Amino acid sequence: RQRQQPPQRRQEPFQPGVRYDNQKEPPVFTLSLRTAGQLSADLLRLKPALIYLPADEGASHPEAVVRCQKAGVPVAAVLPRICTDRELPQLERDLIALRELGVAEALAGTWGAVRRAQRLGFQVRGDYGLGVYNSQALKELKRLGLLSATASFEMKLPQIRDLSKAIPTEFIAYGRLPLMITENCAVKNQSGKCTCGNVNQLIDRKGVRFPVEKAWGCRNELLNANKIFLADKGPDWKKAGLRAVRLLFTTENGVECAQVLEAYRGTGAYKPNNFTRGLYYRDVE
């Protein structure tokens, strides 16, 4: 009976705090790569503001990190979405190797990853997994010492524009959004060996093909069949007060990555065959 009693709640006036003005300068471009093979000379010549590279990929290909640094393009280490205690020593070895290469920043989408990166001396940027939906979340991330944050891709562009951006904010303007991450490697369970570095797809009952990509720790990530594409919507996202626009590269090769960046800069004509505007122009249903 005591457990059935509703708790006593107190009501106090809400204090929104300081309102931060939107950035007036146009946003820069950040690139999220899945493999070092996507890093072409053409891409580096386009001088993105920052390249996000998975920690294990950067540690396995230090020459890719050095190429970026020589081109004047900083690199940030991307921490995995899932990392068990058993896998933690390898992750920390990768992160330490990147710190020794001069990588000073990390991108983290979970609170465990944020704390781990900060403990190892990285300055941390918040990924979409932290769930930034409102201004108070950005203020809290600032209090916790994050350099920047990523707006949730479930927000509409006007909502992103109206955020009080206590810290620099970016949003994902291109790429295949993740739909699901598996604990086990579906490819290995099916074939008996892990070949998830190859091209794998899941085909639904309508014949739609969803890429299945390799994730940290012999897991799989199921990606959207269609890519978000907003290169032709520049007038909308350029006035949203964002620090950066992120291009999320997954299945693209190095040539395609450069072509996409050129399209978003207005100097190229790349356009995917099948694309979506995501939820940026409609509510979550």
Side-chain angles (χ1 to χ4, degrees):
R1 284 196 298 270
Q2 290 177 354
R3 293 182 64 183
Q4 291 174 353
Q5 298 301 315
Q8 291 185 351
R9 302 184 184 276
R10 68 177 189 273
Q11 294 184 354
E12 297 178 5
F14 174 65
Q15 301 293 339
V18 178
R19 174 76 193 181
Y20 293 85
D21 292 333
N22 274 345
Q23 175 176 296
K24 298 297 188 293
E25 299 79 15
V28 299
F29 291 97
T30 64
L31 312 182
S32 178
L33 304 184
R34 189 161 287 245
T35 68
Q38 294 170 312
L39 185 66
S40 66
D42 288 338
L43 194 66
L44 290 176
R45 276 196 292 270
L46 292 170
K47 293 286 186 180
L50 180 64
I51 286 180
Y52 296 117
L53 194 62
D56 57 337
E57 193 72 8
S60 300
H61 299 277
E63 72 284 354
V65 177
V66 173
R67 284 176 61 203
C68 292
Q69 293 168 336
K70 288 183 176 179
V73 179
V75 175
V78 181
L79 277 73
R81 295 170 64 188
I82 298 175
C83 181
T84 65
D85 290 344
R86 175 177 52 83
E87 297 162 335
L88 182 57
Q90 180 59 52
L91 174 59
E92 294 199 345
R93 284 193 292 270
D94 291 342
L95 291 172
I96 291 171
L98 290 173
R99 285 289 292 141
E100 292 174 350
L101 285 172
V103 176
E105 297 180 4
L107 179 70
T110 68
W111 287 115
V114 169
R115 291 192 294 269
R116 186 168 296 121
Q118 288 177 332
R119 190 176 70 247
L120 292 174
F122 288 90
Q123 293 180 299
V124 181
R125 298 186 182 276
D127 206 356
Y128 62 85
L130 297 183
V132 172
Y133 294 97
N134 54 56
S135 303
Q136 296 304 119
L138 289 172
K139 292 175 182 178
E140 186 66 11
L141 295 184
K142 179 180 181 179
R143 187 185 70 81
L144 293 169
L146 271 68
L147 280 179
S148 66
T150 305
S152 169
F153 47 69
E154 293 184 343
M155 299 179 73
K156 293 192 295 185
L157 276 173
Q159 293 173 324
I160 295 175
R161 178 200 62 206
D162 293 343
L163 287 172
S164 176
K165 300 173 182 66
I167 55 177
T169 307
E170 65 180 319
F171 91 123
I172 297 173
Y174 171 86
R176 299 182 189 273
L177 293 180
L179 301 178
M180 179 189 302
I181 188 167
T182 68
E183 177 57 30
N184 298 304
C185 178
V187 178
K188 183 176 181 180
N189 288 348
Q190 176 69 23
S191 64
K193 59 181 180 180
C194 181
T195 59
C196 51
N198 300 330
V199 177
N200 296 285
Q201 296 178 330
L202 186 151
I203 305 174
D204 72 3
R205 58 186 176 83
K206 295 182 178 180
V208 180
R209 299 174 180 271
F210 297 83
V212 180
E213 290 285 304
K214 186 180 188 300
W216 168 271
C218 198
R219 296 178 178 88
N220 292 147
E221 196 165 33
L222 183 68
L223 305 177
N224 200 327
N226 296 326
K227 302 172 183 178
I228 285 181
F229 184 74
L230 298 173
D232 56 341
K233 296 290 186 180
D236 294 338
W237 46 260
K238 285 180 181 178
K239 62 185 181 183
L242 295 158
R243 179 197 76 90
V245 169
R246 191 195 308 179
L247 309 182
L248 180 65
F249 296 123
T250 51
T251 59
E252 294 83 358
N253 58 39
V255 173
E256 289 175 310
C257 293
Q259 290 175 341
V260 172
L261 180 53
E262 288 175 339
Y264 274 77
R265 284 187 167 170
T267 59
Y270 173 89
K271 192 172 186 178
N273 294 327
N274 299 306
F275 64 89
T276 175
R277 305 299 190 183
L279 296 171
Y280 294 129
Y281 290 91
R282 58 190 178 93
D283 290 323
V284 177
E285 297 176 353

